Amino acid sequence: MKTFMQFILFMVLAVVVIVIAVMLGDSGAWYFAWLVGTTMIVLIAAAGGVLLDTQEEQAREKAKARAVPHGQ
């Protein structure tokens, strides 16, 4: 049943996308490129933020390890 519902959902999405593409005409490709580009920029910015947080956390752990003397 789940697969059938996914199939129906994707069919509805395909119909909506086709209707939007017909309405946009020749400029549909430009809107598609804009959407893909905007999505990529947001994902790259989020990945950069995650990498920065990870680097800061690792630096804090290294500083904490240096502060605690070995063997105690």
Side-chain angles (χ1 to χ4, degrees):
M1 186 69 180
K2 181 181 175 183
T3 304
F4 179 72
M5 293 305 288
Q6 287 178 341
F7 178 76
I8 296 297
L9 175 68
F10 289 136
M11 286 298 293
V12 169
L13 285 175
V15 169
V16 169
V17 168
I18 290 170
V19 169
I20 289 173
V22 168
M23 288 177 12
L24 292 175
D26 290 337
S27 59
W30 292 107
Y31 286 113
F32 177 74
W34 178 76
L35 287 173
V36 170
T38 302
T39 303
M40 289 299 295
I41 289 170
V42 168
L43 290 175
I44 289 170
V50 169
L51 286 174
L52 182 63
D53 286 345
T54 303
Q55 289 175 349
E56 288 179 352
E57 185 176 321
Q58 287 178 349
R60 270 188 252 124
E61 288 177 5
K62 284 182 182 179
K64 190 184 293 182
R66 278 189 230 133
V68 176
H70 295 289
Q72 291 185 2

